[in-house]
Amino acid sequence: MFAVYQLLASNRDNRLLRQIRMPAAGAFLGNAAWAAYVQLYGLSFVSTIIIVFTLLNLLAILARLAAWDEGFTVGDRWCIVLPLCALSSWLTTATIVNLAASLRFHGVDAGPAAPVIAGAIVIAGGIIAAQALLRTQGNPPFAVVFLWALGAIFAAGGQREGIVAAAVVIAAVLVLLATIRGLRNGGMAHYFGGSSSLAADGARAATVRR
C-alpha cells in the first residue's frame, strides 16, 4: 500500500513522503535483512541488532508523523499513517520477543523465574508503548496493534501463568490511558482529520493541476 502510494503521479510533490522516505527505506531494508537472517541462523543476538535498527527507523517516522502540522490527506491517512504506525507498534512488541528468544538461543535460561521475568518484560513493553503514545498524541493505529499483541500474549501465556496475565492487564491499562490522554491533547483532530484534512487535499490537488 505504502509502496504503491509513493509511485502515484499525484504524490510527486508530497512533502510528507519526502520527510519520511529515508527512515522508511531503512525500516524496509531492516525488515528484509531480519527475515533473511532468521531464516538462515535463527533468533540470535545479530537478529536483535537488526530488529532494533528497524524499530529506530520506524520510531523516527512516528515522531515525524506526530509533528506534521500541515494535515493529512485521506490518502496520507490510509496509505502512510495507518500502515507505518501499525508496523511500528508490531515491531515494538517483536523487538521485545526477539530479545527474549535470542537469550534462549544463546543458552540463557531463567528456569523457575521465567514467568516473573516474562511479566516484567510485558510491563516494560507497556511502559515503552505508553511513552510512545504520549509523545505521538495517542497514535490510534499504534495503540490498536499493541493491544492486539497483548491479547496474543495473554492467549499464549497468560492463561497458564497468572503473573503474565496480570502483567498483560497492567500493560493494557497503561496503553489505554496514554491513548486517551494523547487523543484528548490534540490527537483526535491530528489523526482523524477535519478541516485540515480537506485543506491538505485541496492543496495537493492544486499542486497537481499546476
Side-chain angles (χ1 to χ4, degrees):
M1 182 186 300
F2 174 72
V4 173
Y5 189 64
Q6 291 186 90
L7 297 176
L8 297 178
S10 58
N11 287 320
R12 187 175 296 118
D13 298 313
N14 188 320
R15 292 184 63 249
L16 177 59
L17 282 172
R18 287 202 298 269
Q19 286 275 331
I20 65 172
R21 189 161 286 152
M22 289 306 294
F28 292 126
L29 175 64
N31 264 342
W34 182 88
Y37 181 87
V38 170
Q39 287 294 323
L40 294 173
Y41 304 107
L43 295 170
S44 68
F45 178 70
V46 175
S47 71
T48 301
I49 294 176
I50 296 172
I51 202 170
V52 168
F53 166 80
T54 306
L55 178 60
L56 290 175
N57 279 281
L58 288 167
L59 292 179
I61 293 172
L62 276 186
R64 294 181 190 186
L65 292 178
W68 186 251
D69 59 1
E70 298 182 20
F72 300 118
T73 67
V74 174
D76 292 343
R77 190 171 293 112
W78 284 99
C79 299
I80 299 177
V81 178
L82 177 61
L84 294 183
C85 292
L87 182 60
S88 302
S89 182
W90 178 251
L91 260 292
T92 301
T93 309
T95 300
I96 297 170
V97 173
N98 194 118
L99 177 59
S102 68
L103 290 174
R104 289 195 299 272
F105 179 89
H106 291 290
V108 179
D109 187 0
V116 176
I117 295 175
I121 290 174
V122 170
I123 293 175
I127 292 172
I128 293 170
Q131 286 295 319
L133 286 162
L134 289 173
R135 292 174 182 272
T136 59
Q137 297 174 288
N139 189 300
F142 188 99
V144 170
V145 172
F146 198 88
L147 289 172
W148 177 81
L150 288 177
I153 293 172
F154 179 83
Q159 296 182 5
R160 296 195 306 270
E161 299 289 347
I163 293 176
V164 175
V168 167
V169 172
I170 293 171
V173 170
L174 290 173
V175 168
L176 284 171
L177 290 176
T179 302
I180 293 170
R181 181 174 178 180
L183 290 176
R184 285 180 174 176
N185 288 340
M188 186 68 72
H190 185 69
Y191 291 106
F192 292 102
S195 58
S196 60
S197 176
L198 294 175
D201 274 323
R204 185 78 50 77
T207 302
V208 173
R209 284 196 296 271
R210 296 195 196 100

